[in-house]
Amino acid sequence: MKYYLTTPIYYVNAAPHLGTAYSTFVADLIKRFKKMEGFEPVVFTTGSDEHSRNVERAAKAANLDPEEYAGRMAAEFVNQWKTLEIDFDHFIRTSDPKHYETVRELFERCQKNGYIYKGAYTGQYCVNDELYVNEAGPGDPCPECGRPTETVTEENYFFRLSAFQERLLELYEKNPEFVKPDHRRNEITAFVQQGLNDLSITRTNINWGIPVPVEGCHVFYVWFDALISYMSAVKNDNLWPADLHLIGKDILRFHAVYWPAFLMAADLPLPKKVFAHGWILFEENKMSKSRGNVLRPNPIAQVAGIDSLRYFLLREITFGQDGSFSYDALIQRYNSDLANGLGNLASRTLTMIHQYRGGQIPQSDGVGDIAEAARRATEMTLEAFDEFNFSRGLETIWSLISVIDKFIVERAPWKLAKAEDALSQKLLDETLYTAAEALRIVCAWIYPVMPASARKIWEQLGMPGPIGEVRIADLHWGKLQAGQKVGKVAGVFPRLDAKTAIPQMQELEVKERERQAAIFAAAAATTAKADTASTATAQPDASKIAIDDFAKVEMRVGLVLGAERVKGADKLLHLTVEIGEQAPRSIVAGIAEAYPPEQLIGRKVVIVANLQPRKLRGLESNGMIVAASIEGGKPVLAGFLEDVPVGARLK
């Protein structure tokens, strides 16, 4: 029986970060778990959502055409997922020709069935969320992201979403598993009960998109385009409908209202489940580019390990709810659960088998109480994972680890080994077999969560087959064979010192941010016109300043951590800039017309650091950003060709 699951098709206006990694880690876990349950094939799709006005603008700001910009970002996602050992089967890009074909086919099916009509739209539109905001007035903020909306007027094709209100409500009522968790289904039900408006699904004011098979210059609206990628990824593979769409809660409406309505209109099967998880919070806020608090997975993985990051996110956060990330909590969980818990159990069990039984699994049936504890743990973990309650499942596994640890301490095999009587030796065999067999079962259960670490322990146990081929039926007690030779013992989770590990992760985070920013840096954004400088004429001596006066100006290298538009001010951006001080600076700069906020994150700039702070639009500006002012043109930020450290002083 097949199982087909998907992550969101990630929007290419931002590089991969901890939030997108979280969704993808979970999908990877579910794929491995479903294989354990015996599903075949299990197919996992992820990908990149590349068409929108926002992408078109970001590409222009980066001096790239949209196709090249999207290609760079898609490659970044693919490389990140491979580095993080994500076992995906398909990476679908919405610029893929086979996706174009599928979108057009679904449009024509909906059109043939009478659910598409031509009309005109005048109203507010949020570029950031690709969302028409019918209830907003000119300049009103978007209800999703809070950014100012834009007024647009254009001829569009509309989808008759209003025709599906009752069918959607019936779907939610008769199939409560369609939207999970339950509180998200309740939210969606309440939204649909308020009434649905028809949905614009094409645009004529941009070029970067899939052409609509109609007269005129229409391209498909992003959600009609992006959602269909789940189908186009597995076209002709006989895998539709999807068994599971994993998404973030912020895009639930599109997946639980628009998507099933599109499919109903086209007379196509609906996905079986849409599961919306929460956000990862850092410093008690949702991670976002504008706040500058986005964390990336690779710096954490380089210091603590990929599997440790996966374990922390899945153990610490109840799937479906918001959860917090902090470096301190990660280190504490790592040392207590992995280094002192699982890692210590594996190391001492295998070491004792080497020391006391020549590296071979002894003959024994094990201890019945521990066998029963392992059976209950398997039953409870299976139930928890089936319900996507990964935190509870992992808590159950670690409870079993505690039971085994306590058993080993009480049996004291190091004492039994010194006694030569038959009973003591029999108890030693029983103790070692029990610990090793329980470790085998634990190892199999942690494999979907921590595949690389589980594989290492599995191989040290000397197991004959790949751990990826283990099935739930193999987790019955007594499968470990007597006489099996265990491998060389090697520590899997060395302890981490927070005093050194956290600064390492923070330093690597800055480097990774700079690396990602460099990929999309505007090729010509910092190129000043040569003749601008050459037209300057000598100034009268009275206008010159002494070197001592210039020395009073303190200019430092700054790293932009956050950037967002100032409400009601077209030219102003509110920046959060690190200049090597204890806390970042708040700076308000008049560069909004030249630089979208997302293009500044991770960029090094020049800051005048010793100006008196002042208030602009109610915001403190503690410093000034340096830019070239070109007559008749937009400001151009001062930058650097070589790498310079944050906080370095300009002389």
Side-chain angles (χ1 to χ4, degrees), residues 52 204 236 304 337 361 373 411 452 502 507 519 533 613 651:
S52 71
T204 57
N236 302 322
D337 289 12
I361 302 294
R411 279 294 183 97
I502 293 176
E507 182 180 350
I519 296 174
K651 298 180 180 179

Side-chain angles (χ1 to χ4, degrees), residues 1 33-40 42 471-472:
M1 183 167 55
F33 170 63
K34 289 300 175 182
K35 283 189 173 182
M36 287 180 66
E37 286 193 298
F39 287 89
E40 186 64 36
V42 182
R471 300 294 178 259
I472 302 296

Side-chain angles (χ1 to χ4, degrees), residues 390-512:
F390 309 115
S391 179
R392 190 180 74 199
L394 290 170
E395 182 181 1
T396 300
I397 294 299
W398 258 257
S399 294
L400 177 60
I401 290 174
S402 296
V403 168
I404 305 164
D405 279 334
K406 182 180 179 183
F407 166 75
I408 292 173
V409 170
E410 291 175 347
R411 279 294 183 97
W414 46 90
K415 293 181 180 179
L416 293 173
K418 295 177 181 179
E420 297 181 357
D421 61 282
L423 178 59
S424 295
Q425 293 303 306
K426 180 181 179 182
L427 289 174
L428 178 59
D429 287 343
E430 188 178 70
T431 303
L432 296 178
Y433 182 89
T434 299
E437 172 64 343
L439 179 62
R440 179 187 72 87
I441 294 171
V442 166
C443 192
W445 271 119
I446 67 165
Y447 169 71
V449 181
M450 298 186 288
S453 301
R455 192 179 297 113
K456 290 177 183 177
I457 298 172
W458 190 258
E459 291 170 356
Q460 290 180 39
L461 262 172
M463 300 305 299
I467 192 169
E469 295 181 2
V470 172
R471 300 294 178 259
I472 302 296
D474 298 325
L475 301 186
H476 295 300
W477 188 266
K479 289 275 189 177
L480 190 61
Q481 296 298 308
Q484 179 172 300
K485 188 76 174 176
V486 301
K488 182 180 179 181
V489 181
V492 180
F493 302 107
R495 283 186 61 82
L496 292 177
D497 183 353
K499 292 181 180 179
T500 57
I502 293 176
Q504 280 182 313
M505 288 187 278
Q506 292 172 328
E507 182 180 350
L508 289 169
E509 170 66 28
V510 172
K511 291 181 179 179
E512 178 70 354

Side-chain angles (χ1 to χ4, degrees), residues 12 73 90 197 201 275 321 403 560 591 625 647:
V12 295
M73 192 64 90
H90 298 287
N197 296 317
I201 61 169
F275 197 108
Q321 299 179 13
V403 168
V560 180
I591 57 173
I625 192 167

Side-chain angles (χ1 to χ4, degrees), residues 35-56:
K35 283 189 173 182
M36 287 180 66
E37 286 193 298
F39 287 89
E40 186 64 36
V42 182
V43 177
F44 163 19
T45 285
T46 186
S48 54
D49 177 7
E50 302 177 7
H51 295 132
S52 71
R53 182 189 297 173
N54 215 16
V55 172
E56 195 173 58

Side-chain angles (χ1 to χ4, degrees), residues 97-369:
K98 75 174 181 180
H99 176 63
Y100 281 41
E101 181 182 327
T102 311
V103 172
R104 288 170 179 157
E105 287 174 0
L106 193 135
F107 173 81
E108 288 169 351
R109 291 178 70 110
C110 294
Q111 188 178 43
K112 180 181 177 181
N113 290 338
Y115 294 109
I116 304 290
Y117 65 92
K118 190 175 182 179
Y121 175 85
T122 299
Q124 298 309 112
Y125 178 75
C126 175
V127 173
N128 184 73
D129 290 312
E130 300 293 334
L131 180 68
Y132 289 98
V133 188
N134 295 327
E135 64 275 13
D140 283 355
C142 169
E144 297 292 331
C145 69
R147 292 176 173 84
T149 56
E150 298 181 5
T151 303
V152 297
T153 300
E154 58 183 350
E155 178 186 82
N156 288 340
Y157 280 83
F158 285 78
F159 175 79
R160 296 187 190 277
L161 184 64
S162 58
F164 292 90
Q165 179 175 351
E166 294 306 319
R167 288 181 66 179
L168 287 168
L169 291 173
E170 183 181 9
L171 169 66
Y172 308 146
E173 181 180 0
K174 291 187 175 180
N175 183 10
E177 292 296 306
F178 180 73
V179 179
K180 298 293 283 185
D182 292 344
H183 64 281
R184 298 294 175 207
R185 184 183 66 254
N186 294 338
E187 290 176 10
I188 287 297
T189 300
F191 171 77
V192 175
Q193 285 173 338
Q194 294 173 3
L196 297 174
N197 296 317
D198 291 349
L199 182 69
S200 170
I201 61 169
T202 72
R203 280 182 251 156
T204 57
N205 59 356
I206 62 172
N207 298 317
W208 176 237
I210 300 176
V212 183
V214 296
E215 292 183 2
C217 300
H218 292 266
V219 297
F220 282 105
Y221 165 59
V222 65
W223 285 109
F224 194 88
D225 168 0
L227 292 164
I228 298 169
S229 61
Y230 302 132
M231 294 181 67
S232 56
V234 294
K235 188 173 179 140
N236 302 322
D237 290 346
N238 198 31
L239 288 169
W240 192 261
D243 295 271
L244 173 66
H245 289 320
L246 284 173
I247 61 168
K249 65 180 183 180
D250 50 336
I251 55 174
L252 177 59
R253 184 193 309 175
F254 308 109
H255 287 77
V257 180
Y258 298 176
W259 184 219
F262 295 160
L263 293 168
M264 289 174 180
D267 292 325
L268 292 171
L270 306 188
K272 297 178 183 178
K273 188 189 298 288
V274 176
F275 197 108
H277 63 73
W279 290 330
I280 296 179
L281 308 178
F282 180 58
E283 298 175 345
E284 302 307 315
N285 286 305
K286 178 194 175 186
M287 287 189 287
S288 71
K289 292 180 300 179
S290 61
R291 288 193 178 99
N293 65 346
V294 173
L295 292 179
R296 293 142 185 89
N298 274 354
I300 302 167
Q302 288 179 56
V303 177
I306 297 169
D307 282 359
S308 306
L309 175 60
R310 289 171 65 124
Y311 174 75
F312 175 83
L313 295 174
L314 292 160
R315 175 66 179 84
E316 195 79 9
I317 301 171
T318 300
F319 193 60
Q321 299 179 13
D322 291 348
S324 295
F325 176 88
S326 75
Y327 292 117
D328 286 322
L330 171 72
I331 299 297
Q332 290 173 10
R333 178 70 72 177
Y334 174 96
N335 284 331
S336 63
D337 289 12
L338 301 181
N340 295 343
L342 175 60
N344 183 56
L345 172 64
S347 179
R348 69 172 174 171
T349 297
L350 296 170
T351 297
M352 288 189 296
I353 292 173
H354 272 290
Q355 288 180 343
Y356 307 143
R357 288 297 179 260
Q360 291 187 333
I361 302 294
Q363 176 67 52
S364 177
D365 293 331
V367 174
D369 287 349

